[in-house]
Amino acid sequence: MISKELLFSSCEQLGIRISERAADRFDEYAKLLVDYNSKVNLTAITAPDDIVIKHFVDSLCLNKFVPLTPEKRIIDVGTGAGFPGAALLCAEPSLNITMIDSVNKKLDFIRFLLKELGLEAEIITIRAEDAAKKAEFREKFDVVTSRAVAALNVLAEYSVPLVKVGGVFSPLKAVLSTEEDQRGCSAVVNLGAKVISKYKYSIPDGSEREIIVAEKISQTSPKYPRAYAQISKKPL
């Protein structure tokens, strides 16, 4: 379905390497995504080349700036149709990835996808702010990521409590406005982390992107994350 040549050349353009076997998995992922999307609304992006660039390559950029290895425990917050979590797993099946979302019908697709591809991950239907209150999730992850979920200050409150001290919060974002940058970085500090790097780059269709890498330097106060209604009404 997809152009593997486009996938390889786009990855190469960004300094990302994937195997032929990974490309086969991505091809199957795209087919299953488009077919499933006709029954359950997962994504507005269904053209093969757009899936390659805007979903697969965009997701794989995380590993360019935050090295991911099997010993690291990774969580994808608000995974949706599996971006970036399932895409990262397609590229490297040995990764230890947990994917969470509040919408179970989307996670049903992820469960189906991983079974079809012979991949394994922990898939849990739960809101991020609820997960971060549970002992089995709170401050247990080396890498907490997400893509296109919320403004940085809101996303930080959902995500930083999940990061272990010494781990990183690293969301995939469009280029931040000055306001989102300032509010987001302030929220990160309030939650016990510190922004150590920001990377701006373009994916092959010309869309500008930004990845923030924030290291957790102290435990998050027990008062965070607040309830969804409080976060929405008065974000950090």
Side-chain angles (χ1 to χ4, degrees):
M1 174 178 175
I2 64 169
S3 166
K4 292 181 184 176
E5 182 180 347
L6 177 64
L7 178 61
F8 282 119
S9 64
S10 298
C11 285
E12 184 178 358
Q13 185 177 327
L14 288 160
I16 299 165
R17 298 187 59 142
I18 62 167
S19 67
E20 288 281 354
R21 183 68 188 93
D24 290 340
R25 284 191 287 266
F26 280 119
D27 185 50
E28 186 65 18
Y29 192 162
K31 291 174 187 174
L32 295 171
L33 175 66
V34 170
D35 180 62
Y36 209 96
N37 199 63
S38 66
K39 299 169 284 197
V40 176
N41 183 25
L42 298 169
T43 178
I45 297 169
T46 56
D49 288 357
D50 287 343
I51 291 173
V52 169
I53 302 298
K54 297 180 179 180
H55 279 329
F56 297 158
V57 176
D58 193 29
S59 295
L60 294 178
C61 285
L62 178 66
N63 202 19
K64 177 177 172 64
F65 302 105
V66 180
L68 305 177
T69 53
E71 64 271 13
K72 291 183 179 179
R73 194 175 177 198
I74 305 158
I75 186 168
D76 176 11
V77 174
T79 191
F83 307 114
L88 293 167
L89 202 59
C90 279
E92 183 44 73
S94 66
L95 293 178
N96 180 0
I97 297 181
T98 298
M99 288 176 261
I100 65 171
D101 203 286
S102 62
V103 182
N104 191 57
K105 65 182 180 180
K106 294 182 178 180
L107 294 184
D108 281 342
F109 166 68
I110 303 299
R111 295 180 185 105
F112 167 71
L113 171 73
L114 297 188
K115 183 178 180 181
E116 290 294 307
L117 296 179
L119 301 174
E120 293 185 2
E122 188 173 21
I123 313 295
I124 302 166
T125 307
I126 192 170
R127 298 187 72 94
E129 64 272 25
D130 294 332
K133 293 290 188 183
K134 293 182 176 289
E136 62 264 39
F137 297 110
R138 189 176 182 87
E139 298 186 326
K140 292 294 194 294
F141 294 91
D142 298 284
V143 180
V144 178
T145 190
S146 63
R147 194 185 72 138
V149 170
L152 183 58
N153 57 327
V154 172
L155 184 59
E157 186 165 354
Y158 292 150
S159 303
V160 176
L162 296 165
V163 185
K164 63 167 41 172
V165 174
V168 297
F169 164 53
S170 192
L172 296 153
K173 301 282 292 177
V175 173
L176 301 176
S177 67
T178 300
E179 180 183 2
E180 183 177 0
D181 188 17
Q182 290 174 345
R183 295 190 67 178
C185 290
S186 175
V188 164
V189 170
N190 287 338
L191 294 159
K194 172 177 74 170
V195 175
I196 56 173
S197 302
K198 297 177 188 175
Y199 302 100
K200 293 182 181 179
Y201 59 98
S202 295
I203 58 175
D205 70 347
S207 301
E208 295 183 325
R209 295 287 189 265
E210 186 167 354
I211 289 182
I212 296 92
V213 180
E215 183 180 1
K216 186 78 168 279
I217 57 175
S218 62
Q219 290 186 318
T220 302
S221 167
K223 68 182 179 181
Y224 298 118
R226 296 167 295 162
Y228 173 77
Q230 290 177 291
I231 297 172
S232 300
K233 186 175 180 180
K234 193 175 181 180
L236 291 176

